[in-house]
Amino acid sequence: MDKIIVRGGKRLEGEVNISTAKNSVLPIIAASILSGDKCIIESAPMLEDVFVISDVLRTISTEIDIDSKTNRILIDSSNIKDCEASSELVKKMRASFLIMGAMISRFGKFRLSLPGGCNIGTRPIDLHLKGFSALGAEVSVGHGYVEAQAKKLIGNKIYLDFPSVGATENIMMAAVMAEGETTIENAAEEPEIEDLAKFLNSMGANIIGAGSGTIHIIGVKNLKGTTHKPIYDRIEAGTFMTAAAITRSKIKINGIDERHLKPVIAKLTEAGVNIKIEGNSMVIDGDRDLKPIDIKTMPYPGFPTDMQSQLSGLLCTVHGTSIITETIFENRFMHASEMKRMGANIKIDGRSAVIEGVDRLTGAEVRATDLRAGAALVLCGLAAEGETEVTDIYHVDRGYVNIEKKLKGLGADIERAKM
Ligand code: EPU
């Protein structure tokens, strides 16, 4: 197992390139099995989560060729026979549940291990299942499995009680070849949903309105192979924006889409950071006197829960009181106790964290409890006095391509070591 060692206090400078989005590429890989034709994903991020979902698909006879030199993934699902995936891998990564919609759509039945909870919350799948049932599938849950089957899927109106990203994606995939029209109301509006719809439409699907709260899916008879490059990772970009702010540095970030970063730009600007957008790049200057801010996480276009831990880290270094309210996941403050080990002053009260900025953070041995918490601790290490060791870094590898190499390229004193 690896850990990251950071010696804090270095100013960052120079440029960093953002990879394509983990949360786009995972549903897109799942969607690739909707047609028996080959699909190609260009400029894919070489991430642990990508390797895991690929391994899950290999257990149902999909051939997946991942070329880490060209960042190209070739998916050939022409030989899928098994309509069951019971691998431990499914339990390891929740996003593998996204293959359910695609498999019911293509084969009319699928049986999959039930994904477990995870560190950030219980994460139920009731909305996914409600959607499959509304399309006419018979869904049952028992003995650790979810099973769904349907002679024929038929389009329907589906209202989501909460705009769940995964449920919106899974239902979209299940509905693309259903008979007639499906409407998803109160759908998630995240940019990754729009990207998935773009991918599906390039396979021959007919999806209108993805990226808004109402999505119309007009069923088509079949889909064909396609080639796609996912959108840039807005959360990786936001993490590097926070790296500039926490080290009070000025850097250039290449590979951004301003539209997708609006809430993060707004909040960092409110804190006093200066941001200039130049096309797909941004120059971010955190070398200022920063002010405390309040943040509430919300579904897109609100402030992303996936940026909450990183901003919490930043606000630990900003004098004054900041209040963070987490409304998406019930257990996403696990970074707080680790940050406290670095001298942070954070009090958790239910869904809120009250942060009093301190003069300085101090290096300590801390543990990445989940992906974004781990990234936030690396950021705290950049600002802390002395050496910080972030253990269990495998969480971070799930969602960041070479985080330590990218930070080193910006001048950070950082390295990866074996635990
Ligand atoms: N929810 C339900 N029932 C459901 C589905 C979701 O109650 O059937 C609840 C969840 O328990 C949670 C809320 O709805 O409280 C939001 O969950 P959502 O389904 O929107 O999240 P997800 O699809 O499981 C994706 C990202 C997460 C990101 C969330 C929210 C992927 C692979 N994962 O998860 O990414 O935090 O949307 O934006 O797209 C990360 O990258 O660190 C990460 C956790």
Side-chain angles (χ1 to χ4, degrees):
M1 236 193 285
D2 288 358
K3 62 183 175 187
I4 281 182
I5 302 170
V6 198
R7 280 165 290 267
K10 281 261 164 96
R11 286 277 176 104
L12 303 184
E13 57 182 7
E15 301 186 18
V16 64
N17 297 328
I18 299 304
S19 302
T20 53
K22 163 180 94 76
N23 290 346
S24 258
V25 79
L26 297 175
I28 285 171
I29 291 175
S32 300
I33 60 172
L34 274 161
S35 129
D37 293 349
K38 292 189 178 78
C39 286
I40 294 169
I41 303 168
E42 306 272 19
S43 308
M46 293 297 126
L47 295 169
E48 232 359 83
D49 270 8
V50 167
F51 305 142
V52 173
I53 199 166
S54 301
D55 283 342
V56 172
L57 289 179
R58 287 185 183 113
T59 67
I60 51 168
S61 315
T62 304
E63 278 175 43
I64 303 199
D65 180 28
I66 302 178
D67 185 340
S68 54
K69 284 207 180 74
T70 57
N71 295 336
R72 201 162 184 262
I73 303 180
L74 176 81
I75 300 149
D76 178 353
S77 63
S78 55
N79 287 323
I80 295 185
K81 283 176 204 80
D82 323 280
C83 276
E84 174 168 334
S86 63
S87 159
E88 277 297 308
L89 296 167
V90 179
K91 291 181 209 151
K92 196 167 143 190
M93 197 186 71
R94 291 189 52 84
S96 36
F97 193 65
L98 291 170
I99 66 179
M100 190 89 199
M103 287 298 284
I104 312 169
S105 179
R106 180 161 160 206
F107 296 102
K109 61 174 184 186
F110 198 51
R111 187 166 185 260
L112 186 64
S113 302
L114 205 55
C118 79
N119 291 354
I120 60 175
T122 48
R123 305 183 79 176
I125 48 160
D126 55 314
L127 300 172
H128 303 235
L129 303 186
K130 191 176 149 188
F132 299 151
S133 301
L135 295 173
E138 235 173 78
V139 179
S140 58
V141 177
H143 306 287
Y145 281 87
V146 185
E147 198 168 345
Q149 47 185 320
K151 283 213 174 67
K152 184 157 73 173
L153 292 173
I154 300 177
N156 202 348
K157 254 197 181 149
I158 299 162
Y159 175 86
L160 295 180
D161 300 334
F162 181 88
S164 152
V165 173
T168 305
E169 292 167 342
N170 233 339
I171 296 168
M172 250 163 61
M173 291 189 259
V176 275
M177 290 188 280
E179 189 180 289
E181 181 171 336
T182 298
T183 306
I184 310 176
E185 283 170 344
N186 199 28
E189 299 179 23
E190 269 71 1
E192 293 76 18
I193 307 272
E194 207 180 334
D195 201 26
L196 174 63
K198 208 168 151 197
F199 176 78
L200 290 167
N201 283 343
S202 75
M203 292 177 87
N206 188 356
I207 302 173
I208 302 156
S212 78
T214 305
I215 304 178
H216 300 279
I217 305 145
I218 297 115
V220 296
K221 287 256 174 332
N222 45 46
L223 297 172
K224 58 181 186 333
T226 190
T227 300
H228 184 80
K229 177 188 166 187
I231 55 171
Y232 293 120
D233 196 314
R234 62 195 166 97
I235 306 301
E236 190 196 11
T239 303
F240 279 93
M241 289 166 73
T242 315
I246 204 169
T247 55
R248 310 296 191 265
S249 307
K250 183 175 175 181
I251 61 169
K252 185 170 181 193
I253 303 175
N254 303 314
I256 58 128
D257 188 326
E258 182 186 4
R259 292 168 306 165
H260 302 164
L261 281 163
K262 271 188 189 152
V264 181
I265 292 174
K267 280 292 152 186
L268 285 175
T269 304
E270 190 184 325
V273 173
N274 189 272
I275 296 168
K276 278 203 186 74
I277 310 287
E278 300 163 357
N280 284 132
S281 295
M282 154 191 302
V283 174
I284 174 158
D285 184 359
D287 189 8
R288 327 215 141 202
D289 229 359
L290 300 187
K291 299 184 285 287
I293 50 170
D294 294 342
I295 293 176
K296 189 174 186 180
T297 63
M298 298 286 277
Y300 190 87
F303 188 88
T305 174
D306 293 345
M307 280 303 301
Q308 185 261 106
S309 317
Q310 301 88 316
L311 263 286
S312 298
L314 167 67
L315 293 170
C316 288
T317 70
V318 175
H319 281 130
T321 311
S322 298
I323 298 177
I324 309 234
T325 308
E326 170 61 55
T327 75
I328 309 294
F329 291 109
E330 67 273 23
N331 194 24
R332 217 173 193 184
F333 283 130
M334 296 228 293
H335 49 268
S337 48
E338 300 299 308
M339 287 176 187
K340 280 193 202 168
R341 293 166 53 78
M342 301 179 74
N345 183 351
I346 311 180
K347 286 189 188 69
I348 307 296
D349 184 8
R351 294 180 138 211
S352 295
V354 181
I355 302 177
E356 291 290 341
V358 292
D359 284 339
R360 75 182 64 82
L361 295 172
T362 49
E365 189 181 319
V366 288
R367 190 169 71 86
T369 47
D370 70 79
L371 164 56
R372 307 300 170 189
L377 292 169
V378 171
L379 298 183
C380 288
L382 295 174
E385 193 179 271
E387 190 170 288
T388 297
E389 276 191 29
V390 185
T391 60
D392 289 2
I393 213 69
Y394 62 91
H395 285 293
V396 178
D397 293 334
R398 290 185 38 219
Y400 290 89
V401 179
N402 296 329
I403 192 168
E404 80 284 5
K405 287 197 186 122
K406 290 189 184 184
L407 285 168
K408 207 182 181 76
L410 291 168
D413 187 349
I414 186 169
E415 68 198 279
R416 180 180 286 261
K418 292 271 168 242
M419 275 172 73

